[in-house]
Amino acid sequence: MNGIVKISWRNVWRNKRRSLVILMAVALGLWGGIFATGLATGMVTQRFRIAIERQISHMQIHHPKFIDYDEVKYHIPEAAELVSHLSSDDFVMSVSARTMASGMVASSAITAGVQIIGVDAEQERATTRFDEFVVDGDYFTDAGRNPVIVGKRLADKMKIEPGSRLVLTFPDMQGEIVRASFRVAGIYQTTHTQLDELRLYVRRSDLQALVGEGEPVNEIAILLNDVEHLSDVIAQLKNRYPELSIRSYAEISPEVSYMQEMAGITYLVIIIIILLALAFGLLNTMLMTVYERTRELGMLMAVGMNKKRVFLMVMLETTFLTFTGAIVGILLGGGTVWLTARNGVDLSGVGGDTLTDFGYDAVVIPELHTSFFLNLVILVLCTSFLASVYPAFKALKMRPAEAIRKD
Amino acid sequence: MTKVIRTENLTKVYNHTVVPVHALGGVDLEVEKGEFTAIIGPSGSGKTTLLNMIGGLDHPTSGRVFVGDTEMTALKESKLIDFRLRNIGFVFQSYNLIPVLTAKENISFIMLLQKRSKEEMEARAIQLLQEVGLTDKADVRPQKLSGGQQQRVAVARALASRPQFVLADEPTANLDTQSAFNLLDIMQKLNEEEHITLLFSTHDQRVIDRARRVIKLVDGKIASDERR
């Protein structure tokens, strides 16, 4: 076996130029594939993290009818007690109780349909770090009456700035239309600019005072310490509050969960396509090698090298060729991902606002998981096997008596 | 004397479905242990075909080949390969050494296929290198050896497995006079001192002069068989 390994390895370097060309092809193909996968994985992970940590949270609780009708009157009964219970749960990191109403916003310039979200400043800060999104003006302060924080895209459209006055119109608990004047306290910008255009944030107490009838809460967003506990917490809550709608992020926003699940498979498919293309290059190289060495292979078979060993020799040679290129490609690809992950890759110049329109961060931090590299090694092994089978069979079909005399 | 090789009514017809070419037409041959035999004849007379049949590299159309007591023509492919490995040494016209191995590694390779111990391989390779006068070239790869030196390594390789006999197909055809004489000296010495059975196919008068038995093939049949 050692002798076959030695010959196979030395055979790889018999035609250095040809071997280096195919090695470079494998290395560059994998380099590109690994970096593209790292970039895409980073995008999806960031999108997932943003969706969980800055938008949806791990789970949300609603009145069941609120989900369908989106009306303030469908509020969570005894919400204060529920929030208190959740806040004392060891698995819960933070809770944000929101009062929500759909309505219109009017400035001196235009009118637009919006969702008005009443939040507790501290709860929202702890749950979505919303204060960090404020790019102009201030986050909620105790001072001033009816402050509102407006998305940048809406603010630009409405030509408003901190200090501007807006009129919000929305139905109260009885379904009567309420109009109230608000002052723009700040302008926010998240990574999902389409949502920024639709959502206005006000103080929960201000909104509750306007819609009347106690302190209605329509949504409780919950951020857990660890997503691992999600199913347990949901099960406990469903058991305790069977009349409420308690949903995980995957139920609220299935596309986020689906995207994460599909991402891994999609990138593997991309790598498989790259490796398949490389497999044809390898196959061609190995076929050339086998044809060039017809006389030598004939001699080996004549002197007593059995078919198993001939097959093994061709396979080992292909494997060495593939893996040498793959190691270089993995080092280059992994190195590039590691280097670019330090500061991220700014894609704003490439994608413009398109990325942020769909909730992606324009600065992507590439990342790769260990499982990806394990899968990659298995795929490389399969590629080398596929590329070697046909040349190896060609070698086996040679008849020593004829092969020895081939020029 | 022990019979090493025996053929019975050996025939070989190529392209028998299109235009039949009768390469061998019923060859009966016996070679005894320690014989130095040259098979001669004009091109197309069937020398190489006969050597291929005796070496188990090709199958006869009819007839049988025995090596010792084993009917080689009855062996299945896998058994035949192993039989060749353990019983037959080959020397080819174009040396056919493995270019990525050194002279010593080329010699050891056959023993490696036979799964001999590392120590045995090392000792035998060095001994054979001494016998062919190439001790100083042990670690040199074939492309840095002359044609004559490569062929001497090929002879050492053929002997490495301690075969029952060595088949040499035109071994001196690519060698200059001095190299050919050197090679023949070595082979003759091995034949005389170690009673190694040698069977050559050749056109080369230098080989014919050294042979103790000369078989002439004409049109695939033995035309003469002369012992000296």
Side-chain angles (χ1 to χ4, degrees):
Chain A
M1 180 70 181
N2 282 343
I4 306 288
V5 172
K6 188 195 282 181
I7 291 182
S8 303
W9 175 248
R10 288 186 188 173
N11 277 339
V12 169
W13 304 107
R14 271 167 86 155
N15 190 329
K16 283 196 181 73
R17 189 184 299 173
R18 189 168 60 202
S19 293
L20 283 173
V21 166
I22 194 72
L23 286 181
M24 289 285 284
V26 174
L28 290 175
L30 286 180
W31 184 11
I34 290 168
F35 182 58
T37 303
L39 209 56
T41 307
M43 280 175 79
V44 170
T45 304
Q46 278 171 263
R47 174 74 187 89
F48 181 76
R49 198 176 294 143
I50 287 165
I52 299 299
E53 294 177 6
R54 312 301 293 271
Q55 291 169 4
I56 307 166
S57 303
H58 286 120
M59 53 189 286
Q60 290 181 0
I61 300 174
H62 299 93
H63 185 289
K65 285 192 174 175
F66 181 80
I67 295 161
D68 297 326
Y69 298 105
D70 200 18
E71 291 179 29
V72 70
K73 65 182 180 184
Y74 296 118
H75 59 93
I76 299 165
E78 296 172 4
E81 186 212 333
L82 177 53
V83 168
S84 171
H85 167 71
L86 288 167
S87 300
S88 64
D89 192 316
D90 288 341
F91 294 146
V92 174
M93 180 187 276
S94 60
V95 176
S96 181
R98 298 163 185 155
T99 302
M100 302 168 83
S102 294
M104 303 292 286
V105 58
S107 69
S108 54
I110 59 167
T111 302
V114 289
Q115 185 175 40
I116 304 155
I117 303 171
V119 298
D120 176 279
E122 286 313 307
Q123 284 183 357
E124 198 62 29
R125 191 201 301 269
T127 307
T128 63
R129 307 201 306 278
F130 188 76
D131 56 311
E132 293 172 11
F133 289 135
V134 175
V135 292
D136 193 6
D138 298 314
Y139 186 56
F140 296 115
T141 56
D142 290 335
R145 186 170 167 267
N146 286 355
V148 59
I149 298 176
V150 184
K152 188 170 186 308
R153 189 181 271 197
L154 182 63
D156 290 344
K157 270 192 179 174
M158 299 186 83
K159 298 184 175 60
I160 53 175
E161 57 187 18
S164 300
R165 289 268 166 198
L166 295 175
V167 174
L168 301 185
T169 311
F170 49 89
D172 65 10
M173 292 285 281
Q174 305 302 321
E176 300 293 329
I177 299 300
V178 179
R179 288 166 62 88
S181 177
F182 281 75
R183 182 187 51 81
V184 177
I187 309 289
Y188 76 89
Q189 185 176 21
T190 70
T191 54
H192 203 318
T193 48
Q194 281 186 335
L195 283 181
D196 293 356
E197 198 176 335
L198 293 172
R199 291 179 173 175
L200 293 180
Y201 288 81
V202 300
R203 284 190 306 219
R204 190 175 70 211
S205 53
D206 294 339
L207 189 59
Q208 283 172 338
L210 288 165
V211 296
E213 291 189 19
E215 296 177 345
V217 167
N218 302 102
E219 180 175 280
I220 299 174
I222 303 154
L223 192 66
L224 302 179
N225 289 313
D226 192 336
V227 72
E228 294 289 314
H229 304 305
L230 183 60
S231 52
D232 291 340
V233 175
I234 286 181
Q236 283 172 20
L237 287 173
K238 278 187 174 175
N239 191 40
R240 184 164 176 169
Y241 304 100
E243 73 283 7
L244 294 177
S245 162
I246 301 166
R247 297 180 301 164
S248 71
Y249 68 85
E251 293 169 278
I252 298 161
S253 187
E255 76 280 1
V256 173
S257 180
Y258 181 73
M259 184 175 62
Q260 202 187 28
E261 284 171 17
M262 286 305 293
I265 298 167
T266 309
Y267 307 141
L268 272 182
V269 169
I270 292 169
I271 293 283
I272 287 170
I273 292 168
I274 292 172
L275 285 172
L276 263 179
L278 292 172
F280 282 100
L282 282 162
L283 188 143
N284 184 47
T285 302
M286 289 313 296
L287 267 182
M288 283 165 69
T289 302
V290 165
Y291 284 132
E292 278 173 8
R293 298 216 298 265
T294 298
R295 205 162 61 184
E296 186 180 318
L297 288 164
M299 178 278 293
L300 289 170
M301 288 189 271
V303 300
M305 190 163 174
N306 62 31
K307 293 192 172 187
K308 198 170 83 180
R309 282 176 164 144
V310 173
F311 194 86
L312 184 69
M313 189 176 74
V314 177
M315 289 205 74
L316 276 175
E317 203 170 318
T318 320
T319 305
F320 285 142
L321 199 58
T322 316
F323 265 88
T324 310
I327 288 166
V328 175
I330 287 170
L331 287 175
L332 285 172
T336 309
V337 167
W338 180 73
L339 280 174
T340 51
R342 290 173 164 189
N343 298 315
V345 180
D346 189 349
L347 297 177
S348 55
V350 184
D353 291 334
T354 314
L355 284 171
T356 50
D357 278 350
F358 288 97
Y360 290 93
D361 199 332
V363 178
V364 178
I365 310 291
E367 67 170 55
L368 286 171
H369 306 293
T370 315
S371 60
F372 169 78
F373 287 105
L374 291 174
N375 287 331
L376 188 61
V377 169
I378 293 167
L379 286 173
V380 168
L381 204 63
C382 292
T383 306
S384 110
F385 177 78
L386 277 177
S388 65
V389 167
Y390 183 63
F393 273 114
K394 277 281 171 193
L396 292 188
K397 280 190 171 180
M398 286 176 187
R399 297 176 60 182
E402 291 166 8
I404 290 164
R405 282 171 185 81
K406 191 157 188 220
D407 292 329
Chain B
M1 289 290 278
T2 314
K3 287 185 182 60
V4 178
I5 302 164
R6 181 160 58 91
T7 71
E8 287 179 0
N9 196 26
L10 210 56
T11 69
K12 180 70 181 177
V13 182
Y14 290 111
N15 293 329
H16 56 277
T17 54
V18 191
V19 183
V21 177
H22 295 269
L24 289 179
V27 174
D28 292 304
L29 175 70
E30 288 183 352
V31 178
E32 291 176 350
K33 183 167 171 57
E35 279 195 330
F36 188 149
T37 306
I39 298 171
I40 63 167
S43 292
S45 60
K47 302 186 296 294
T48 299
T49 304
L50 178 60
L51 244 61
N52 284 343
M53 302 294 138
I54 293 170
L57 299 180
D58 206 351
H59 299 285
T61 306
S62 66
R64 300 195 291 177
V65 178
F66 291 87
V67 172
D69 296 328
T70 306
E71 186 189 344
M72 205 167 52
T73 37
L75 295 175
K76 286 185 179 171
E77 187 62 28
S78 58
K79 295 269 184 196
L80 183 61
I81 292 171
D82 193 57
F83 188 83
R84 284 201 301 263
L85 174 65
R86 295 180 193 287
N87 295 282
I88 308 171
F90 291 91
V91 178
F92 305 102
Q93 181 178 334
S94 305
Y95 331 130
N96 286 359
L97 298 176
I98 303 169
V100 294
L101 299 183
T102 63
K104 191 167 80 178
E105 287 168 340
N106 263 286
I107 296 165
S108 301
F109 186 70
I110 301 290
M111 293 182 277
L112 194 126
L113 294 178
Q114 290 181 317
K115 297 179 181 168
R116 301 272 185 87
S117 71
K118 202 174 174 184
E119 294 72 26
E120 189 185 354
M121 285 195 292
E122 179 77 10
R124 179 84 174 140
I126 289 169
Q127 179 209 340
L128 287 165
L129 278 167
Q130 278 171 352
E131 287 182 14
V132 297
L134 288 173
T135 313
D136 58 329
K137 304 288 183 189
D139 297 320
V140 176
R141 289 197 183 182
Q143 63 267 32
K144 296 208 172 154
L145 296 173
S146 69
Q149 289 170 329
Q150 287 189 52
Q151 197 62 302
R152 278 146 67 188
V153 174
V155 169
R157 179 182 65 187
L159 296 170
S161 62
R162 299 182 193 278
Q164 292 201 48
F165 61 93
V166 173
L167 293 178
D169 188 13
E170 308 265 9
T172 55
N174 292 346
L175 301 182
D176 59 58
T177 305
Q178 190 55 51
S179 299
F181 278 127
N182 286 344
L183 183 77
L184 289 169
D185 287 343
I186 289 164
M187 296 188 88
Q188 193 169 17
K189 189 176 164 209
L190 289 166
N191 173 251
E192 286 169 1
E193 293 178 2
E194 298 184 26
H195 305 293
I196 290 165
T197 309
L198 299 172
L199 192 60
F200 286 69
S201 79
T202 186
H203 282 111
D204 192 339
Q205 191 57 44
R206 296 166 299 192
V207 179
I208 298 166
D209 291 343
R210 303 276 185 119
R212 285 187 282 127
R213 182 181 177 189
V214 178
I215 297 168
K216 186 173 183 182
L217 282 182
V218 176
D219 295 335
K221 292 179 180 169
I222 295 176
S224 66
D225 186 352
E226 177 196 347
R227 280 194 166 83
R228 296 169 176 172

